[in-house]
Amino acid sequence: MPELPEVETTRRGIAPHVTGRRIVAVTVRQPRLREPVPPELAREAVGQAVETVARRGKYLLLGLPGGTIIIHLGMSGSLRVLADPGPVADRHDHVDIAFSGGRLLRFHDPRRFGIVTWTTGEPLAHRLLARLGPEPLAAGFDGHHLYLAGRQRRVAVKSLLLDGTVVAGVGNIYASEALFRAGIHPARPAGRISLMRYRRLADALGAVLTEALAAGGTTLRDFVDGAGRPGYFALSLEAYDREGQPCPRCTTPIRRVTQAQRSTYYCPRCQRG
DNA sequence: ACTGGATCCTGACTGC
DNA sequence: TGCAGTCAGGATCCAG
């Protein structure tokens, strides 16, 4: 579900409510997520105050004096700030973190592809984060970086964008959208795209992520922010989830194809090369 | 070294 | 109404 704009929207939503607050309880109802929620999370985090709420790619990092809570929302995860005691937990509310001052951070994830874990080491060096590529909205990310990453590679450029070691935080929606904006065919081999066109792609990716962030992210089915509200960028999607509908530029019907078991949407006329 | 495919899990939706 | 099949914002592991 959530890609960079949705995770960042979540970060901005929860940060004011948890920063500076002390963790008074951690309740794990279902530890079996993509990897087990470690027992030491509850044991060690309780009693510490959250100093920072950061994001790296699609990971959220709650920084405490003695460690970091690392959270990934997977395909169907969400985090919400609730009053404590909040509404009765449903069967997919797997983890609650209760704070001083009467707030509750609740991790909800029907498909359980998400992660809630704990590290006492340098968080950016954690195995989940260590290999991530650059942040697409940070200075230093540009077309040249994509060009170098794509050189000598035969994978489709769409797959290159989904590779977190190439660029962090890009998922299925924004990969399709960026390729649409840049006029690049999603199946084009990564090694057969010019530097100039990679520059256009990097710019398109930055623009679409920034616009999606301003809209509070994309809600297709179940994404909600820290306050339980959906994002509105679905209204602005030009290709994703629009199979058969007219291309906003040339009216040719948008096509859906499967690449690496994921749907890709594109305009066969605007994205020929 | 790269690449595509299978896999984890549940829910929503479609067609019979 | 029920049931089977398909698909879904992710990421890792495995052969070939």
Side-chain angles (χ1 to χ4, degrees), chain A residues 133-134 136 140-153 155 157-163 165-168 170 178-179 182 184 189-206:
Chain A
F141 173 79
D142 58 14
H144 190 246
H145 170 80
L146 288 179
Y147 175 73
L148 290 181
R151 256 194 336 192
Q152 314 282 71
R153 296 193 58 186
V155 270
V157 60
K158 158 84 177 326
S159 297
L160 189 79
L161 290 178
L162 291 182
D163 182 345
T165 69
V166 170
V167 54
V170 180
L179 288 164
I184 297 172
R192 294 189 46 228
I193 295 175
S194 68
L195 173 59
M196 196 184 73
R197 300 185 77 217
Y198 268 125
R199 289 201 170 116
R200 206 177 303 154
L201 179 56
D203 289 348
L205 181 60

Side-chain angles (χ1 to χ4, degrees), chain A residues 8-31:
Chain A
E8 178 63 18
T9 294
T10 299
R11 189 195 70 77
R12 293 179 184 182
I14 69 174
H17 301 289
V18 308
T19 307
R21 296 294 184 179
R22 193 168 44 84
I23 296 176
V24 297
V26 175
T27 306
V28 180
R29 297 184 195 81
Q30 169 58 278

Side-chain angles (χ1 to χ4, degrees), chain A residues 128-272:
Chain A
L128 292 168
L129 310 181
R131 294 170 43 230
L132 290 177
E135 288 291 322
L137 294 180
F141 173 79
D142 58 14
H144 190 246
H145 170 80
L146 288 179
Y147 175 73
L148 290 181
R151 256 194 336 192
Q152 314 282 71
R153 296 193 58 186
R154 278 172 297 189
V155 270
V157 60
K158 158 84 177 326
S159 297
L160 189 79
L161 290 178
L162 291 182
D163 182 345
T165 69
V166 170
V167 54
V170 180
N172 213 32
I173 294 179
Y174 302 110
S176 274
E177 291 298 303
L179 288 164
F180 173 83
R181 290 188 182 208
I184 297 172
H185 194 289
R188 182 149 189 98
R192 294 189 46 228
I193 295 175
S194 68
L195 173 59
M196 196 184 73
R197 300 185 77 217
Y198 268 125
R199 289 201 170 116
R200 206 177 303 154
L201 179 56
D203 289 348
L205 181 60
V208 73
L209 293 174
T210 301
E211 290 169 32
L213 196 44
T218 299
T219 297
L220 292 176
R221 274 162 282 277
D222 49 15
F223 170 71
V224 289
D225 69 10
R229 292 172 305 222
Y232 295 99
F233 195 69
L235 300 169
S236 304
L237 294 175
E238 294 180 295
Y240 190 86
D241 207 24
R242 297 194 65 243
E243 182 182 16
Q245 296 177 56
C247 167
R249 302 222 178 128
C250 76
T251 76
T252 301
I254 295 292
R255 197 171 286 176
R256 179 172 77 92
V257 294
T258 300
Q259 294 180 285
Q261 289 94 251
R262 315 290 303 277
S263 287
T264 301
Y265 298 84
Y266 71 104
C267 171
R269 179 155 171 213
C270 298
Q271 296 171 261
R272 284 198 245 214

